[in-house]
Amino acid sequence: MVSKNTICLWYDGTALDAATFYAQTFPDSSVGAVHRAPGDYPDGKQGDVLTVEFTVMGIPCLGLNGGPAFKHSEAFSFQVATEDQAETDRLWNAVVGNGGQESACGWCKDKWGLSWQITPRALIAAITDPDQAAAKRAFEAMMEMSKIDIAAIEAARRG
């Protein structure tokens, strides 16, 4: 049964590849039904994969192979809360190491152009510290990073 609210992500013929990668990389993720086009369409032929139902960390998604007309942008991202540096490194390295690219402040893009925020819980705690000076130091340290280094964030927070 289709969820009441599903995130639809547009791909250029690679929805199944992307969904499979997400299912293999992120916890509580899976690939569901794969639907093939019942007829030819502007960017595909009858029998091509048209849509893929998948879940990313419990969030229902639909990958649509709509063609090259629309690209992903940073206006949409998945924010993944990580528990420690090992989980942060594993997820960051999986996304970037599979043809993705680094960005700033814990953001990266996968090879399909979808943005991910690999965000340690320790970072959120540090930049929301009630001690404004500590929060500012942690925030300034984060602004200099690509992948978040929890030890460096905590050191900056302590001053």
Side-chain angles (χ1 to χ4, degrees), residues 39-119:
D40 292 350
Y41 60 105
D43 286 294
K45 300 287 183 204
Q46 180 177 346
D48 289 352
V49 173
L50 182 61
T51 62
V52 179
E53 296 176 23
F54 61 100
T55 303
V56 176
M57 296 171 292
I59 299 170
C61 299
L62 181 77
L64 169 65
N65 281 328
F70 300 108
K71 305 292 183 202
H72 296 290
S73 80
E74 290 81 0
F76 175 88
S77 63
F78 281 104
Q79 184 179 45
V80 181
T82 56
E83 301 301 326
D84 55 27
Q85 193 66 52
E87 184 180 22
T88 301
D89 291 348
R90 182 183 74 76
L91 295 177
W92 177 275
N93 294 339
V95 171
V96 172
N98 187 46
Q101 65 185 63
E102 296 184 6
S103 191
C105 306
W107 290 61
C108 56
K109 283 185 185 178
D110 64 30
K111 74 180 189 178
W112 301 279
L114 189 62
S115 290
W116 297 84
Q117 298 177 58
I118 310 300
T119 309

Side-chain angles (χ1 to χ4, degrees), residues 122-123 125-129 132-145 148 152-159:
L123 171 64
I127 65 174
T128 61
D129 191 311
Q132 289 295 303
K136 183 178 181 193
R137 288 190 303 271
F139 182 79
E140 289 172 347
M142 176 202 69
M143 293 298 293
E144 300 296 319
M145 296 178 184
I148 301 301
I153 292 292
E154 290 174 345
R157 183 180 187 184
R158 287 189 303 272

